[in-house]
Amino acid sequence: MTETNQFPEPYFVETNGINMAVYEMGPKDGVPVILSHGWPELAYSWRHQLPALAKAGFRAIAPDQRGYGKTGGPKGEDNIPAYSIKNLTNDMAGLLDALGLDKAIFCGHDWGGMVVWQMSLLHPERVSGVIGVNTPFIPRLEMDPIEAMRAAYGDDMYIVFFQKFGVAEKLLGENTARSMRFFYRKRGITMSEWEKLPPEMKNFSFMDGLKAPEETWPGERLLTDEEYAVYAKAFEETGWEGGINWYRNFSRNWRETEGVEQKVNVPALMISAADDVVLSPAMTEGMEKYVPDVEKHIIQDCGHWTQSEKPDELNTLMVDWLKRRYA
């Protein structure tokens, strides 16, 4: 059964110019596992994983990352570069420093997956292993990723749309509780159904769906009222700008990582969700070229929000691999 221990209160550490809120469970002498959340998430997104990892003897550490939750971050269009991948990974390296840790296993979901894979490239000496949840290792593209997305999907694709400073955050912030109910839903479509759709219906223009009546949204509500309230309160307090700024650094990240060797030289676990249409299991094909020591699994009947949708299955795969490779 899913662990239901009370989510811990945060402590705060200074790292890379921010005061990071950190939530931790498990023995201090346990092998450290740092959990990196995505968008629009929080450390709270790992509420089912923290106790499971702690029970298995690992030191589970989940921060609210730059721009999110009780950590927050700088505001204003001039501060977009503060959310670059170099800063996001430097935040994590600084977290290790603050905790007196040489290295840790890094586990990430959604955008957090990009952070942990890049940790293994930009701070390889601080990483003892990587777990990707839904997010595969994606090698550096040959062209600017925003231009590639615009060419493939058009201007309404949500990541391209996010490039306009102030627009998406205003739309999402008009009713943050409603926005959270829009995003956090169980899979609304299977992968086989998605693949049968015409191309014009697969351009990831989620903002159009947000404007539709709530009763027309696909999929069932994923969270309890209390869980929705946690997310809504956090994003009402911080606003949406910080998290969206991660997306506004795709081009900068691409430029600044030119010449970085695309090779993950530590053990890795890749856990995909069969019906995540944004980060599909097909995207993991060929990962072995860049991540030689990778073990791959697919959780069936699961959409994008794996930690909440299939927590028991995710916890079992993570703990099993961690015990085999690090206990």
Side-chain angles (χ1 to χ4, degrees):
M1 293 295 292
T2 303
E3 299 287 344
T4 56
N5 302 45
Q6 186 70 30
F7 194 68
E9 289 296 314
Y11 59 87
F12 292 84
V13 301
E14 293 291 330
T15 170
N16 193 29
I18 61 173
N19 193 30
M20 179 178 273
V22 183
Y23 306 77
E24 180 176 328
M25 294 183 74
K28 294 290 185 184
D29 61 350
V31 175
V33 181
I34 295 182
L35 303 160
S36 177
H37 65 77
W39 181 91
E41 297 188 278
L42 301 162
Y44 181 73
S45 300
W46 299 105
R47 63 196 173 280
H48 300 300
Q49 285 68 54
L50 282 173
L53 292 170
K55 184 178 179 181
F58 295 92
R59 183 180 180 183
I61 303 163
D64 282 337
Q65 291 177 90
R66 178 178 291 254
Y68 288 90
K70 296 185 182 301
T71 296
K75 297 286 186 72
E77 192 167 2
D78 290 345
N79 279 311
I80 289 175
Y83 296 85
S84 71
I85 195 64
K86 286 193 173 179
N87 270 323
L88 299 179
T89 55
N90 286 344
D91 292 346
M92 291 299 207
L95 171 60
L96 291 179
D97 292 340
L99 298 180
L101 297 171
D102 290 331
K103 56 177 59 180
I105 299 151
F106 284 85
C107 172
H109 170 257
D110 185 78
W111 237 113
M114 298 188 208
V115 172
V116 302
W117 289 119
Q118 290 299 311
M119 273 295 295
S120 71
L121 304 185
L122 301 176
H123 296 276
E125 72 287 353
R126 312 305 299 271
V127 179
S128 52
V130 177
I131 302 175
V133 181
N134 296 55
T135 310
F137 178 81
I138 302 172
R140 187 178 182 275
L141 302 179
E142 293 185 359
M143 68 179 293
D144 182 314
I146 295 300
E147 294 309 313
M149 285 183 251
R150 181 177 282 115
Y153 300 110
D155 289 335
D156 291 336
M157 189 266 192
Y158 76 104
I159 296 176
V160 179
F161 177 73
F162 282 176
Q163 303 307 304
K164 308 168 190 171
F165 183 81
V167 177
E169 44 265 67
K170 183 181 181 204
L171 177 64
L172 293 166
E174 286 174 0
N175 188 334
T176 290
R178 185 178 189 273
S179 296
M180 286 301 170
R181 293 195 301 274
F182 172 75
F183 286 117
Y184 283 103
R185 305 183 77 78
K186 294 181 182 178
R187 57 162 193 164
I189 189 170
T190 66
M191 187 64 69
S192 60
E193 291 169 338
W194 171 262
E195 290 170 346
K196 293 173 186 174
L197 292 175
E200 63 270 18
M201 293 184 68
K202 294 191 287 187
N203 66 349
F204 301 109
S205 58
F206 297 146
M207 297 302 104
D208 291 337
L210 178 67
K211 300 172 187 175
E214 190 165 343
E215 60 270 18
T216 68
W217 293 345
E220 301 173 9
R221 285 170 53 132
L222 174 62
L223 308 180
T224 66
D225 289 343
E226 292 76 16
E227 289 169 330
Y228 278 117
V230 170
Y231 287 102
K233 183 175 185 291
F235 279 79
E236 284 165 358
E237 291 177 352
T238 62
W240 293 79
E241 180 185 318
I244 294 174
N245 279 343
W246 290 33
Y247 291 92
R248 294 181 176 131
N249 278 277
F250 264 112
S251 297
R252 179 174 289 102
N253 296 343
W254 179 74
R255 293 192 300 269
E256 292 185 350
T257 56
E258 183 177 3
V260 174
E261 184 185 13
Q262 302 296 294
K263 184 63 70 73
V264 177
N265 293 311
V266 293
L269 174 65
M270 180 64 228
I271 303 171
S272 299
D275 297 315
D276 185 346
V277 300
V278 178
L279 296 168
S280 72
M283 293 174 66
T284 71
E285 293 174 8
M287 263 182 64
E288 293 82 358
K289 177 180 177 182
Y290 306 97
V291 192
D293 185 359
V294 63
E295 179 177 317
K296 299 196 287 193
H297 297 272
I298 299 175
I299 297 177
Q300 298 300 319
D301 303 316
C302 185
H304 183 68
W305 311 108
T306 308
Q307 306 105 298
S308 295
E309 195 167 345
K310 295 287 185 177
D312 294 335
E313 292 86 340
L314 176 61
N315 294 348
T316 296
L317 288 170
M318 289 174 60
V319 169
D320 173 69
W321 181 79
L322 286 166
K323 283 185 171 181
R324 282 188 284 114
R325 301 304 299 261
Y326 298 94

